[in-house]
Structure formats: C-alpha cells, structure tokens
Amino acid sequence: QVQVAESGGGSVQAGGSLRLSCAASGYTASNYFIGWFRQGPGKEREGVAAIYTGDGVTVYADSVKGRFTISRDNAKNTVYLQMNSLKPEEAGMYYCAATYGYSGFPLRTNEYFIWGQGTQVSVSS
C-alpha cells in the first residue's frame, strides 16, 4: 500500500526554523514528485515546494524562494523541507503528497494522488 507520512511540525517564533520530513513507502514508481503543501485556517491548500526523485529538480512557490529548501534522501525514501525565517502567515497544516510520475505542474494539488495526514506548524509573532 502506497503511503506518505509527515513529521517534524511544531511551534516556533517568527524568524525561526523547522525541518519537516516526508517518508514514502510502498511505492512502485521509480520516479515521481514529492510535494509539500500548506493550508492555513480558512485558506485553500497551496503548493510550497516539490522535488522530482529522479533527477532532484526542485520547484518553489515564489513566496518561499530563498527561505525554504526541499531535499531528498532516496536511500531512505524521505524528502525534507527546511523552513527558515518563518512568518506568522505561514502557520497551518503542512502536507506532503506524491504524484504517479512526472508532472508539468508540480505545485498544483490536483497533480498528486496520495496524501499524508499533515503536520501542524505554528508561528507566533
């Protein structure tokens, strides 16, 4: 059974850092995107960053470029999201998700077919 699971959420002050982890298991596809998405209270889920397991190409939302870094450890089937200089408006539930294969739009939620349960990130001002 294919599944992804997030960990690493928590509470930080504005300007602080957190590292999220996404562990994938049961996957038969050799290459695919793992994406990170966030959903704040009353907001739509939005793409934050994504990485292609095949060649490591990364994609970021403009709002996080220069502050967030997505990386992978293929041996552990784990993707990380390092978040620095966090802002209060970036608080919410963070989800990781996986595509079937390559996607031309890796920050779109409808490109992903398997989702984790999410991990909560709180940022106080």
Side-chain angles (χ1 to χ4, degrees):
Q1 181 179 358
V2 179
Q3 58 182 2
V4 293
E6 308 91 340
S7 61
S11 298
V12 295
Q13 290 187 331
S17 299
L18 280 174
R19 189 177 81 155
L20 306 182
S21 299
C22 174
S25 61
Y27 224 97
T28 57
S30 56
N31 297 309
Y32 49 94
F33 271 101
I34 292 285
W36 281 100
F37 298 80
R38 67 182 172 211
Q39 188 166 18
K43 297 181 180 179
E44 292 188 356
R45 194 171 298 186
E46 61 177 351
V48 175
I51 188 167
Y52 190 59
T53 62
D55 58 10
V57 68
T58 57
V59 180
Y60 294 94
D62 288 343
S63 61
V64 306
K65 286 180 180 177
R67 298 185 297 117
F68 289 17
T69 302
I70 190 169
S71 61
R72 77 197 196 283
D73 184 335
N74 284 351
K76 295 182 178 180
N77 290 326
T78 300
V79 168
Y80 305 97
L81 183 68
Q82 177 67 42
M83 305 186 294
N84 298 328
S85 301
L86 279 160
K87 304 174 182 180
E89 57 266 34
E90 294 177 320
M93 191 69 79
Y94 280 69
Y95 301 90
C96 72
T99 63
Y100 273 119
Y102 189 82
S103 167
F105 305 97
L107 293 183
R108 291 186 180 179
T109 57
N110 59 4
E111 295 290 305
Y112 291 79
F113 84 105
I114 186 74
W115 291 81
Q117 295 298 309
T119 185
Q120 185 72 41
V121 171
S122 299
V123 185
S124 59
S125 57

